[in-house]
Amino acid sequence: MKEFAYIHDEKQNPSPLRAVPALASFSDDQLDDVLNSSSLLQCEPGDHIIKEGSIDSRIYVLLSGELEVRVGGKKVASITRIGEVFGELALVNQDKRLASVIASTKAVCLAVDQKFLQDIHPREEDPDFHAALYEFVARLVVRKLEATSKRLAEVEKELRVLREAHAEIKPVPSPAPKLKRPVKRVVTVRKPARAR
């Protein structure tokens, strides 16, 4: 994986970022600051963008390619939509990463270091910027919760249909097992021949 400083024309936000509704939380000047504190990651298939259990303070935006999310080595989701944001919980819980994100194809991601943003915009000096930053994360979390709730409702419906179908299937009685009759042995006892 290669990492480069992200350089952009001021006030000219790249189209994948314009497609991220949550970025509407930021004014143009604030978004310029976000982009100026960012870097580009060029990933090859198999590159780890986030490692489960690691601690880092970056938020990511997919600009091209496809990624997969793994927990305990098992694939649990895909990230394929250009402009999709991931890793945003690092801003809220500042804890170990709960999942790994791995490039499944060649991919490019924008990595935003929120700790650097806090350094250039101290909370006490720029509360408006931090309000926009937390609104950004809140919008992302709400969208993901809505998607999760929708998927959960679909799974519950599928489960209900399966249970109903299972209840309608009447078990076919199996034929009674045939009992083996004990084999009667006929024992012939020969009398010894009499001596003459």
Side-chain angles (χ1 to χ4, degrees):
M1 181 165 55
K2 296 177 183 176
E3 185 166 340
F4 306 94
Y6 181 73
I7 300 169
H8 76 291
D9 294 331
E10 299 287 319
K11 312 291 187 213
Q12 294 295 318
N13 299 322
S15 56
L17 296 181
R18 280 191 234 112
V20 181
L23 289 177
S25 308
F26 296 108
S27 69
D28 288 342
D29 289 338
Q30 290 171 337
L31 190 53
D32 279 337
D33 286 341
V34 168
L35 295 176
N36 287 332
S37 69
S38 302
S39 55
L40 281 178
L41 303 178
Q42 288 184 344
C43 308
E44 295 294 323
D47 284 348
H48 278 73
I49 298 155
I50 295 176
K51 290 186 179 177
E52 184 176 0
S54 67
I55 297 176
D56 81 76
S57 61
R58 301 204 285 183
I59 300 168
Y60 302 88
V61 181
L62 179 64
L63 299 180
S64 69
E66 296 182 4
L67 313 172
E68 60 183 53
V69 181
R70 294 183 188 170
V71 175
K74 182 180 176 185
K75 181 179 175 181
V76 295
S78 295
I79 300 172
T80 58
R81 197 174 64 248
I82 303 305
E84 192 164 352
V85 179
F86 58 99
E88 71 281 354
L89 291 182
L91 179 63
V92 178
N93 62 12
Q94 299 172 356
D95 202 355
K96 291 181 179 177
R97 296 290 189 167
L98 301 176
S100 293
V101 178
I102 301 164
S104 48
T105 65
K106 285 189 173 191
V108 177
C109 297
L110 181 73
V112 181
D113 190 336
Q114 54 93 10
K115 282 195 176 174
F116 180 73
L117 286 174
Q118 290 174 3
D119 290 344
I120 63 173
H121 288 282
R123 193 179 314 247
E124 304 77 30
E125 295 174 21
D126 197 348
D128 290 345
F129 179 82
H130 285 274
L133 189 60
Y134 281 100
E135 181 183 342
F136 163 73
V137 172
R139 287 178 187 228
L140 291 172
V141 171
V142 165
R143 286 186 68 188
K144 289 185 178 181
L145 283 174
E146 286 173 348
T148 301
S149 296
K150 182 179 176 183
R151 181 64 187 130
L152 183 58
E154 291 169 358
V155 168
E156 286 176 343
K157 182 178 178 182
E158 291 170 12
L159 183 59
R160 190 171 45 253
V161 167
L162 287 172
R163 283 184 178 154
E164 289 169 359
H166 182 71
E168 290 175 7
I169 299 173
K170 294 182 180 174
V172 177
S174 58
K178 292 183 180 178
L179 299 176
K180 292 184 177 179
R181 292 185 178 166
V183 177
K184 292 184 183 179
R185 291 190 177 178
V186 178
V187 179
T188 307
V189 178
R190 291 188 176 175
K191 293 183 181 180
R194 288 188 198 185
R196 295 184 180 185

